[in-house]
Amino acid sequence: MTSVFGYVRVSSRDQNEDRQMIALQEQNVPEQNIYMDKQSGKDFMRPMYQKMLRRLRPCDLIYIKSIDRLGRNYEEIQEQWRILTKEKRVDIVVIDMPLLDTRRGKDLMGTFLSDIVLQVLSFVAENERINIRQRQAEGIAAAQARGVRFGRPPAPLPENFPTVYRKWRAGEITGAEAARECGMPLSSFRYRAEVWEKQKNE
């Protein structure tokens, strides 16, 4: 007897899965057969996906909202599609792309068209992942150029830092002695001294 499953993936705990859940409910997927992961689509080492995989039997049916919900890595999407359809012998329906419905067109032409569509869509999914990473990197670089700082703010300088810094710059004490007087490692003292000097000269 055929069992019907649904798979949902959101890339972080902040994203909302409602649209995917509604789409699966409209296909009458039983709630207990819907598996959801809240993590990146870069690979398939996802606990709920793997749990669903273990439950699948030949002739079962899986619904997903769109191909990028399955994953964003071109080669791995292709490999998982092969595992699901060839090894597990289950059918897959991509709701947003009717051509990707393995219940239809099981003849040579139908399989050929499905393979082409899958390759195009999985390529688009990975390309979007690459573009997202590039946009993030460009956004961070632009923010840093504007002076936006990332990470934890530095600890406040000790009250005696200006006095110790002047003594160190004048050669009255060594860097190690200056760091000890300020209660910080030598590398931290040198870094903070460099930053402090730049700020004074701006």
Side-chain angles (χ1 to χ4, degrees):
M1 185 176 175
T2 298
S3 295
V4 179
F5 295 88
Y7 181 67
V8 171
R9 182 186 66 80
V10 289
S11 57
S12 75
R13 296 190 181 277
D14 297 324
Q15 282 194 344
N16 195 304
E17 66 274 7
D18 288 352
R19 286 175 59 252
Q20 295 178 67
M21 294 295 288
I22 290 168
L24 295 180
Q25 288 161 4
E26 288 174 348
Q27 302 298 324
N28 298 314
V29 179
E31 189 174 340
Q32 69 271 19
N33 284 358
I34 295 176
Y35 290 81
M36 179 172 65
D37 283 305
K38 290 196 174 187
Q39 65 186 86
S40 165
K42 67 180 181 179
D43 60 48
F44 284 85
M45 298 311 295
R46 312 175 207 142
M48 298 310 290
Y49 179 80
Q50 293 298 326
K51 188 174 181 179
M52 180 185 73
L53 214 57
R54 290 192 292 271
R55 279 194 64 191
L56 294 174
R57 297 293 178 266
C59 298
D60 283 348
L61 173 62
I62 303 172
Y63 282 97
I64 56 173
K65 177 81 165 65
S66 57
I67 196 69
D68 65 340
R69 297 304 88 199
L70 187 61
R72 287 187 179 275
N73 181 299
Y74 177 81
E75 291 183 357
E76 292 208 4
I77 292 174
Q78 299 279 331
E79 175 63 10
Q80 288 301 312
W81 193 274
R82 185 193 64 78
I83 289 171
L84 291 168
T85 58
K86 307 298 184 189
E87 293 183 14
K88 294 289 186 178
R89 290 183 290 145
V90 300
D91 280 311
I92 308 173
V93 175
V94 179
I95 297 169
D96 284 354
M97 180 52 63
L99 279 173
L100 287 179
D101 180 345
T102 61
R103 298 171 302 177
R104 303 176 187 168
K106 289 186 180 285
D107 59 358
L108 186 60
M109 180 57 71
T111 301
F112 175 70
L113 288 173
S114 290
D115 284 349
I116 290 175
V117 173
L118 174 63
Q119 288 190 34
V120 170
L121 291 180
S122 54
F123 171 78
V124 169
E126 173 154 359
N127 198 51
E128 178 61 15
R129 181 170 68 94
I130 293 168
N131 288 339
I132 287 171
R133 279 210 311 264
Q134 184 175 341
R135 288 195 296 268
Q136 287 173 338
E138 289 171 352
I140 290 170
Q144 287 174 333
R146 295 195 308 270
V148 176
R149 297 184 183 278
F150 295 89
R152 291 183 300 176
L157 290 171
E159 290 183 8
N160 67 337
F161 185 85
T163 304
V164 173
Y165 169 81
R166 282 193 294 271
K167 287 163 62 179
W168 171 68
R169 290 298 290 169
E172 297 173 14
I173 56 174
T174 66
E177 290 170 333
R180 191 161 49 248
E181 285 191 37
C182 289
M184 61 178 67
L186 177 58
S187 58
S188 297
F189 173 79
R190 285 179 171 160
Y191 172 74
R192 300 299 293 273
E194 183 181 342
V195 172
W196 196 70
E197 189 169 331
K198 282 180 182 176
Q199 290 173 341
K200 275 199 338 172
N201 294 330
E202 285 178 354

